[in-house]
Amino acid sequence: MSQRKESYRAALQRGQDVAAPRSTKVTTLQSRYFRVTVEVDPDLRGDLTRWVAWPVSSVVVAGTTVLRTLAATVGMASRPGD
């Protein structure tokens, strides 16, 4: 039983050595009645870029298409005599 306990403790210590703590950005918001501490993961910027990139690019493509169509329509309507 003690051998199992020792191997378990050794495994826990190895896990702590391998996993280095990641640096976080800590911000504290404090008022008279409450205090909030926010820790931001440094990998959050990459995650947000991955999540937001596709919707933003889709909106840009759709907006470009609408503007081109509108410009072509206005250009055709403004030419008298054609």
Side-chain angles (χ1 to χ4, degrees), residues 47-63:
D47 292 342
L48 285 177
T49 302
R50 279 195 303 267
W51 296 336
V52 173
W54 185 81
V56 168
S57 65
S58 298
V59 167
V60 168
V61 168

Side-chain angles (χ1 to χ4, degrees), residues 1-76:
M1 185 65 145
S2 65
Q3 183 180 3
R4 183 186 300 171
K5 200 182 287 186
E6 291 300 320
S7 63
Y8 178 73
R9 287 181 182 158
L12 284 178
Q13 289 176 351
R14 279 194 309 266
Q16 290 175 353
D17 291 342
V18 172
R22 297 191 317 187
S23 63
T24 57
K25 188 172 186 177
V26 178
T27 304
T28 302
L29 307 171
Q30 188 170 351
S31 77
R32 183 175 175 182
Y33 298 105
F34 64 93
R35 185 172 98 183
V36 177
T37 301
V38 178
E39 294 184 26
V40 179
D41 186 8
D43 295 334
L44 182 63
R45 182 179 296 167
D47 292 342
L48 285 177
T49 302
R50 279 195 303 267
W51 296 336
V52 173
W54 185 81
V56 168
S57 65
S58 298
V59 167
V60 168
V61 168
T64 304
T65 304
V66 167
L67 288 176
R68 284 183 183 161
T69 305
L70 184 62
T73 304
V74 169
M76 295 174 104

